[in-house]
Amino acid sequence: MTRQVFLYDPPERFVAGTVGLPGRRTFFLQASAGGRVTSVALEKTQVAALAERMDELLDEVVRRSGGNAPVPAVAPSENSDTAPLDAPVEEEFRVGTMALAWDGDEERMIVEAQALVELDAESEDDLAAAEEQLLQDEENGPPMLRVRLSGAQARAFAKRALDVVNAGRPPCPLCSLPLDPEGHVCPRQNGYRRGA
């Protein structure tokens, strides 16, 4: 079967967002352009890791260029996007593997999110080799979302993504576990229910 690649070069919009209530949220990456919308589901930790790595890569691009790269130090306010995900949110696939790269010739951030695939592997080395082969197989691999962003778009994406991750349930001041609206059983209080 031929690999399905959802390509946005460039997207009109590329954001991280959620559906559901805190504690039961589903996280999505959503790209749109020209009336097309692609939404892929992923874990909260994946969103956080993507945003953090994107900021680190952008900082490295600025450092290596001596400050001459077209990458702002912080997300420009004109690129701020606080709107909800475009509805209806229809999941194309669940993300398994992600990759980031900077295209120096085009001065663009490349984000790739590939569908989760179950791999049979006998060892960690076999698993790593199988994952690498899937990433390199342009013709027969699993579905992939590929987005090419300017430096300003990438900074804005990373800022919003971190804001979305941090907008969940507040932490308990004693144990740092998330507080549900109805409270939680706090291990630091010997299991007594603590209210929000």
Coordinates of all heavy atoms in Angstrom, one line a residue, residues 65-132:
S65 N 23.8 30.7 13.3 CA 23.7 31.7 12.2 C 24.3 33.0 12.7 O 24.3 34.0 12.0 CB 22.3 31.9 11.7 OG 21.5 32.6 12.7
G66 N 24.7 33.1 14.0 CA 25.1 34.3 14.6 C 24.0 35.4 14.7 O 24.3 36.6 14.6
G67 N 22.8 34.9 14.8 CA 21.6 35.8 14.9 C 21.1 36.3 13.6 O 20.2 37.1 13.5
N68 N 21.6 35.7 12.5 CA 21.1 36.1 11.1 C 20.0 35.3 10.5 O 19.5 35.6 9.5 CB 22.3 36.1 10.1 CG 23.4 37.1 10.5 OD1 23.0 38.2 11.0 ND2 24.6 36.8 10.3
A69 N 19.6 34.2 11.2 CA 18.5 33.4 10.7 C 17.2 34.1 10.9 O 17.0 34.8 11.8 CB 18.5 32.0 11.4
P70 N 16.2 33.8 10.0 CA 14.9 34.5 10.1 C 14.1 33.8 11.2 O 13.0 33.3 10.9 CB 14.3 34.3 8.7 CG 14.9 33.0 8.2 CD 16.3 33.0 8.8
V71 N 14.6 33.7 12.4 CA 13.9 33.0 13.5 C 13.8 34.0 14.7 O 14.9 34.5 15.2 CB 14.7 31.8 14.0 CG1 14.0 31.1 15.2 CG2 14.8 30.8 12.8
P72 N 12.6 34.4 15.1 CA 12.5 35.3 16.2 C 12.9 34.6 17.5 O 12.8 33.4 17.7 CB 11.0 35.7 16.2 CG 10.3 34.5 15.5 CD 11.3 34.0 14.5
A73 N 13.4 35.4 18.5 CA 13.8 34.8 19.8 C 12.6 34.3 20.6 O 12.7 33.4 21.3 CB 14.5 35.9 20.6
V74 N 11.4 35.0 20.4 CA 10.2 34.6 21.1 C 9.1 34.6 20.0 O 9.2 35.2 18.9 CB 9.8 35.5 22.3 CG1 10.8 35.4 23.4 CG2 9.6 36.9 21.8
A75 N 8.0 34.0 20.3 CA 6.8 33.9 19.4 C 6.3 35.3 19.2 O 5.9 36.0 20.1 CB 5.8 33.0 20.0
P76 N 6.2 35.7 17.9 CA 5.7 37.1 17.6 C 4.2 37.1 17.9 O 3.5 36.2 17.7 CB 5.9 37.2 16.1 CG 6.8 36.1 15.7 CD 6.7 35.1 16.7
S77 N 3.7 38.2 18.5 CA 2.3 38.3 18.9 C 1.4 38.2 17.7 O 0.3 37.7 17.8 CB 2.1 39.6 19.7 OG 2.4 40.7 18.9
E78 N 1.8 38.7 16.5 CA 1.0 38.6 15.3 C 0.8 37.2 14.9 O -0.2 36.9 14.1 CB 1.5 39.5 14.2 CG 2.8 39.1 13.6 CD 4.0 39.8 14.3 OE1 3.8 40.4 15.3 OE2 5.1 39.7 13.7
N79 N 1.6 36.2 15.3 CA 1.4 34.8 15.0 C 0.7 34.0 16.0 O 0.5 32.8 15.9 CB 2.8 34.2 14.7 CG 3.4 34.6 13.4 OD1 3.7 35.8 13.2 ND2 3.7 33.7 12.6
S80 N 0.3 34.7 17.1 CA -0.4 34.1 18.2 C -1.8 33.5 17.7 O -2.5 34.2 17.0 CB -0.7 35.1 19.3 OG -1.4 34.5 20.4
D81 N -2.1 32.3 18.1 CA -3.3 31.6 17.7 C -3.9 31.0 18.9 O -3.4 30.0 19.4 CB -3.0 30.6 16.6 CG -4.3 29.9 16.1 OD1 -5.3 30.0 16.7 OD2 -4.2 29.3 15.0
T82 N -5.0 31.5 19.4 CA -5.6 31.0 20.6 C -7.0 30.4 20.3 O -7.7 29.9 21.2 CB -5.8 32.0 21.7 OG1 -6.5 33.1 21.2 CG2 -4.4 32.5 22.2
A83 N -7.3 30.3 19.0 CA -8.6 29.8 18.6 C -8.7 28.2 18.9 O -7.6 27.6 18.8 CB -8.9 30.1 17.2
P84 N -9.9 27.7 19.1 CA -10.0 26.3 19.3 C -9.6 25.5 17.9 O -9.5 26.1 16.9 CB -11.4 26.0 19.7 CG -12.1 27.3 19.2 CD -11.1 28.4 19.2
L85 N -9.5 24.2 18.1 CA -9.3 23.4 16.9 C -10.4 23.6 15.9 O -11.6 23.8 16.3 CB -9.1 21.9 17.3 CG -7.9 21.5 18.1 CD1 -8.0 20.1 18.5 CD2 -6.6 21.8 17.4
D86 N -10.2 23.4 14.6 CA -11.2 23.5 13.6 C -12.1 22.3 13.8 O -11.6 21.1 13.8 CB -10.6 23.5 12.2 CG -9.9 24.8 11.9 OD1 -10.2 25.9 12.5 OD2 -8.9 24.8 11.1
A87 N -13.4 22.5 13.8 CA -14.4 21.4 14.0 C -15.0 21.0 12.7 O -15.1 21.8 11.8 CB -15.5 21.8 15.0
P88 N -15.3 19.8 12.5 CA -15.2 18.7 13.4 C -13.8 18.1 13.4 O -13.1 18.1 12.4 CB -16.2 17.6 12.9 CG -16.2 17.9 11.4 CD -16.0 19.4 11.2
V89 N -13.3 17.7 14.6 CA -12.0 17.1 14.7 C -12.1 15.6 14.4 O -12.7 14.9 15.2 CB -11.4 17.4 16.1 CG1 -10.0 16.7 16.2 CG2 -11.4 18.8 16.4
E90 N -11.6 15.2 13.2 CA -11.6 13.8 12.8 C -10.2 13.3 12.8 O -9.4 13.7 11.9 CB -12.3 13.7 11.4 CG -13.7 14.2 11.5 CD -14.4 14.2 10.1 OE1 -13.8 13.8 9.1 OE2 -15.6 14.6 10.1
E91 N -9.9 12.3 13.6 CA -8.6 11.8 13.8 C -8.2 11.0 12.5 O -8.9 10.0 12.2 CB -8.5 10.9 15.0 CG -7.2 10.2 15.2 CD -7.2 9.3 16.4 OE1 -7.9 9.7 17.5 OE2 -6.6 8.2 16.4
E92 N -7.1 11.4 11.8 CA -6.6 10.6 10.7 C -5.8 9.4 11.2 O -5.9 8.3 10.6 CB -5.7 11.5 9.8 CG -6.3 12.6 9.1 CD -7.3 12.2 8.0 OE1 -7.2 11.0 7.5 OE2 -8.2 12.9 7.7
F93 N -5.0 9.6 12.2 CA -4.3 8.5 12.8 C -3.7 8.9 14.2 O -3.7 10.1 14.5 CB -3.1 8.0 11.9 CG -2.1 9.0 11.5 CD1 -1.1 9.3 12.4 CD2 -2.2 9.7 10.3 CE1 -0.1 10.3 12.0 CE2 -1.3 10.6 9.9 CZ -0.2 10.9 10.8
R94 N -3.2 8.0 15.0 CA -2.5 8.2 16.2 C -1.0 8.2 16.0 O -0.5 7.4 15.3 CB -2.9 7.2 17.3 CG -2.2 7.4 18.6 CD -2.9 6.8 19.8 NE -4.1 7.5 20.2 CZ -4.2 8.6 20.9 NH1 -3.0 9.1 21.3 NH2 -5.3 9.1 21.2
V95 N -0.4 9.3 16.5 CA 1.1 9.5 16.2 C 1.9 8.5 17.0 O 1.7 8.3 18.2 CB 1.5 10.9 16.5 CG1 3.0 11.1 16.4 CG2 0.7 11.9 15.6
G96 N 2.9 7.9 16.3 CA 3.8 7.0 17.0 C 5.2 7.7 17.1 O 5.8 7.8 18.1
T97 N 5.7 8.1 15.9 CA 7.1 8.6 15.8 C 7.0 10.0 15.2 O 6.2 10.3 14.3 CB 7.9 7.7 14.8 OG1 7.8 6.4 15.3 CG2 9.3 8.2 14.7
M98 N 7.8 10.9 15.8 CA 7.9 12.3 15.3 C 9.4 12.6 15.0 O 10.3 12.0 15.5 CB 7.4 13.3 16.3 CG 5.9 13.1 16.6 SD 5.3 14.4 17.7 CE 6.1 14.0 19.2
A99 N 9.5 13.5 14.0 CA 10.9 14.0 13.6 C 10.8 15.5 13.4 O 9.8 16.0 12.9 CB 11.4 13.2 12.4
L100 N 11.9 16.1 13.7 CA 12.1 17.6 13.4 C 13.4 17.8 12.7 O 14.4 17.1 12.9 CB 12.2 18.3 14.8 CG 11.0 18.7 15.5 CD1 11.5 19.4 16.8 CD2 10.1 19.6 14.7
A101 N 13.4 18.8 11.8 CA 14.6 19.1 11.1 C 14.5 20.6 10.7 O 13.4 21.1 10.5 CB 14.8 18.3 9.9
W102 N 15.7 21.2 10.4 CA 15.7 22.6 9.9 C 16.3 22.5 8.5 O 17.4 22.0 8.3 CB 16.6 23.5 10.8 CG 16.7 24.9 10.3 CD1 17.7 25.4 9.6 CD2 15.7 25.9 10.4 NE1 17.5 26.7 9.2 CE2 16.2 27.0 9.7 CE3 14.4 26.0 10.9 CZ2 15.5 28.2 9.6 CZ3 13.7 27.2 10.8 CH2 14.3 28.3 10.2
D103 N 15.6 23.0 7.5 CA 16.0 23.1 6.1 C 16.7 24.4 6.0 O 16.0 25.5 5.8 CB 14.8 22.9 5.2 CG 15.2 23.0 3.7 OD1 16.3 23.5 3.4 OD2 14.4 22.6 2.9
G104 N 18.0 24.4 6.0 CA 18.8 25.7 5.9 C 18.6 26.4 4.6 O 18.7 27.6 4.5
D105 N 18.5 25.6 3.5 CA 18.3 26.3 2.2 C 17.0 27.0 2.1 O 17.0 28.1 1.6 CB 18.4 25.2 1.1 CG 19.8 24.6 1.0 OD1 20.8 25.2 1.4 OD2 19.9 23.4 0.6
E106 N 16.0 26.4 2.5 CA 14.6 27.0 2.5 C 14.3 27.8 3.7 O 13.3 28.5 3.7 CB 13.6 26.0 2.3 CG 13.7 25.2 1.0 CD 13.3 26.0 -0.2 OE1 12.4 26.8 -0.2 OE2 14.0 25.8 -1.3
E107 N 15.1 27.7 4.8 CA 14.9 28.4 6.0 C 13.5 28.0 6.6 O 12.7 28.9 6.9 CB 15.1 29.9 5.9 CG 16.6 30.2 5.6 CD 16.9 31.7 5.6 OE1 16.0 32.5 5.2 OE2 18.0 32.0 5.9
R108 N 13.3 26.7 6.7 CA 12.0 26.2 7.2 C 12.2 25.1 8.2 O 13.2 24.3 8.1 CB 11.2 25.6 6.0 CG 10.8 26.6 5.0 CD 9.5 27.3 5.5 NE 9.0 28.2 4.5 CZ 8.8 29.5 4.7 NH1 9.1 30.0 5.9 NH2 8.4 30.3 3.8
M109 N 11.3 25.0 9.2 CA 11.3 23.9 10.1 C 10.4 22.8 9.5 O 9.3 23.1 9.0 CB 10.6 24.4 11.4 CG 10.3 23.3 12.4 SD 11.8 22.7 13.3 CE 12.3 24.1 14.3
I110 N 10.9 21.6 9.5 CA 10.1 20.5 9.0 C 9.7 19.6 10.2 O 10.5 19.2 11.0 CB 10.9 19.6 8.0 CG1 11.4 20.5 6.9 CG2 10.1 18.4 7.5 CD1 12.5 19.9 6.0
V111 N 8.4 19.4 10.3 CA 7.8 18.6 11.4 C 7.2 17.4 10.7 O 6.4 17.5 9.8 CB 6.7 19.3 12.2 CG1 6.2 18.5 13.3 CG2 7.3 20.6 12.7
E112 N 7.5 16.2 11.1 CA 6.9 14.9 10.6 C 6.3 14.2 11.8 O 7.0 13.9 12.8 CB 7.9 14.1 9.9 CG 8.4 14.7 8.6 CD 9.4 13.8 7.8 OE1 9.9 12.8 8.4 OE2 9.6 14.1 6.7
A113 N 5.1 13.8 11.6 CA 4.4 12.9 12.6 C 3.9 11.7 11.9 O 3.1 11.8 11.0 CB 3.3 13.7 13.3
Q114 N 4.4 10.5 12.3 CA 4.1 9.3 11.6 C 3.1 8.4 12.4 O 3.2 8.4 13.7 CB 5.4 8.5 11.3 CG 5.2 7.3 10.6 CD 6.6 6.7 10.2 OE1 7.2 7.1 9.2 NE2 7.1 5.8 11.1
A115 N 2.2 7.7 11.8 CA 1.3 6.9 12.5 C 1.9 5.8 13.3 O 3.0 5.3 13.0 CB 0.3 6.2 11.5
L116 N 1.3 5.5 14.4 CA 1.8 4.5 15.3 C 1.7 3.1 14.6 O 0.7 2.8 14.0 CB 0.9 4.4 16.6 CG 1.2 3.4 17.7 CD1 2.6 3.8 18.3 CD2 0.1 3.5 18.7
V117 N 2.7 2.3 14.7 CA 2.8 1.0 14.1 C 3.3 0.0 15.1 O 4.3 0.3 15.8 CB 3.8 1.0 12.9 CG1 3.9 -0.3 12.3 CG2 3.3 2.0 11.8
E118 N 2.7 -1.1 15.2 CA 3.1 -2.2 16.0 C 4.3 -2.9 15.3 O 4.1 -3.4 14.2 CB 2.0 -3.2 16.4 CG 0.9 -2.5 17.1 CD 1.3 -2.1 18.5 OE1 2.1 -2.8 19.2 OE2 0.7 -1.1 19.0
L119 N 5.4 -3.0 16.0 CA 6.6 -3.7 15.4 C 6.9 -4.9 16.2 O 6.9 -4.9 17.4 CB 7.8 -2.7 15.4 CG 7.7 -1.4 14.6 CD1 8.9 -0.6 14.8 CD2 7.5 -1.8 13.1
D120 N 7.2 -6.0 15.5 CA 7.7 -7.2 16.1 C 9.2 -7.2 16.1 O 9.8 -7.1 15.0 CB 7.2 -8.5 15.4 CG 5.7 -8.7 15.6 OD1 5.2 -8.3 16.7 OD2 5.1 -9.3 14.7
A121 N 9.8 -7.1 17.2 CA 11.3 -7.1 17.3 C 11.7 -7.9 18.5 O 11.1 -7.9 19.6 CB 11.7 -5.6 17.5
E122 N 12.8 -8.6 18.3 CA 13.3 -9.5 19.4 C 14.2 -8.7 20.4 O 14.3 -9.1 21.5 CB 14.2 -10.6 18.7 CG 13.5 -11.3 17.6 CD 13.2 -12.8 18.0 OE1 13.8 -13.3 18.9 OE2 12.3 -13.4 17.4
S123 N 14.8 -7.6 19.9 CA 15.7 -6.8 20.8 C 15.5 -5.3 20.6 O 14.8 -4.9 19.6 CB 17.1 -7.2 20.6 OG 17.6 -6.7 19.3
E124 N 16.1 -4.5 21.5 CA 16.1 -3.1 21.3 C 16.7 -2.6 20.0 O 16.2 -1.7 19.3 CB 16.8 -2.4 22.5 CG 16.1 -2.5 23.8 CD 14.9 -1.6 23.9 OE1 14.9 -0.5 23.3 OE2 13.9 -2.1 24.5
D125 N 17.8 -3.3 19.6 CA 18.5 -3.0 18.3 C 17.6 -3.3 17.2 O 17.5 -2.5 16.2 CB 19.8 -3.8 18.2 CG 20.9 -3.3 19.2 OD1 20.8 -2.1 19.7 OD2 21.8 -4.1 19.5
D126 N 16.9 -4.4 17.2 CA 16.0 -4.7 16.1 C 14.8 -3.7 16.0 O 14.4 -3.3 14.9 CB 15.3 -6.1 16.3 CG 16.3 -7.3 16.2 OD1 17.4 -7.0 15.6 OD2 16.0 -8.4 16.6
L127 N 14.4 -3.3 17.2 CA 13.3 -2.3 17.2 C 13.8 -1.0 16.6 O 13.1 -0.4 15.8 CB 12.8 -2.1 18.6 CG 11.6 -1.2 18.8 CD1 10.4 -1.7 18.1 CD2 11.3 -1.0 20.3
A128 N 14.9 -0.5 17.0 CA 15.5 0.7 16.5 C 15.7 0.7 15.0 O 15.4 1.6 14.3 CB 16.8 1.1 17.2
A129 N 16.2 -0.5 14.5 CA 16.4 -0.6 13.1 C 15.1 -0.6 12.3 O 15.0 0.0 11.2 CB 17.1 -1.9 12.8
A130 N 14.0 -1.3 12.9 CA 12.7 -1.3 12.2 C 12.1 0.1 12.2 O 11.5 0.5 11.2 CB 11.8 -2.3 13.0
E131 N 12.2 0.9 13.3 CA 11.7 2.2 13.3 C 12.4 3.1 12.3 O 11.8 3.9 11.6 CB 11.9 2.8 14.7 CG 10.9 2.3 15.7 CD 11.1 2.8 17.1 OE1 12.2 3.4 17.4 OE2 10.2 2.7 17.9
E132 N 13.7 3.0 12.2 CA 14.5 3.8 11.2 C 14.1 3.4 9.8 O 14.0 4.3 9.0 CB 16.0 3.5 11.4 CG 16.9 4.4 10.6 CD 16.7 5.9 10.8 OE1 16.4 6.3 12.0 OE2 16.9 6.7 9.9

